[in-house]
Amino acid sequence: MDTAALARKHLDRQVAALRQPGLVPRPPRGWVRAIRDALGMTTTQLAERMDVSQPRVTDIEKREVQDALTLATLRKAAEALDCTLVYALVPNQPLEDAVRARAEAIADARLARVEHTMRLEDQAVPAAYLAAERERLVAQILQEGPRGFWDPT
């Protein structure tokens, strides 16, 4: 097993619990505002804890909802609210599946060119042969590794 495959398996295990749709959706007014309100804290009080101006807190809350807030600012707000910022990218599918799907797409693109040419020459290939060749090509692409793997097909 290559190191990339091992890394994929490790990451898939780590994010498996997070891969539940709608696990914890962001509140409509953002996390900073929701937690601040739940704590009964004013924007002035949060501003003091963050060592920023009150209008800056209002701007932070607005920008969070707009997805325009930096992680550094969000971390600072979290610390001022006695929270821990949790940051993760959660793949929509297991990474092994994503890599296999990409290898299949590359194989399909390569086979489509050959199959088209052969059909034009009235030398159509039986479906069973194409399926076997596709699997062989997918295995070869996966074994060859990442060079050019994610380039457009």
Side-chain angles (χ1 to χ4, degrees), residues 9 24-25 49 52 55 77 79 82 87 95 104 127-130 132 139 145 147:
K9 284 185 183 292
V24 184
R49 294 172 68 107
V52 297
E79 289 169 359
D82 195 27
Y87 171 80
L95 295 171
E104 289 171 350
Y129 175 79
L130 278 175
R147 186 179 181 121

Side-chain angles (χ1 to χ4, degrees), residues 46-113:
L46 180 55
E48 189 173 305
R49 294 172 68 107
M50 291 181 67
D51 196 28
V52 297
S53 67
Q54 183 277 331
R56 175 72 176 126
V57 169
T58 303
D59 183 58
I60 288 169
E61 291 178 351
K62 183 174 91 175
R63 291 178 50 142
E64 180 190 359
V65 173
Q66 297 170 343
D67 291 330
L69 196 60
T70 66
L71 285 173
T73 301
L74 194 54
R75 179 173 284 112
K76 187 174 180 177
E79 289 169 359
L81 292 165
D82 195 27
C83 294
T84 301
L85 175 65
V86 178
Y87 171 80
L89 296 178
V90 181
N92 294 323
Q93 63 180 328
L95 295 171
E96 274 306 316
D97 293 354
V99 168
R100 171 121 187 131
R102 180 63 184 156
E104 289 171 350
I106 293 168
D108 290 345
R110 290 181 188 172
L111 286 174
R113 288 190 293 269

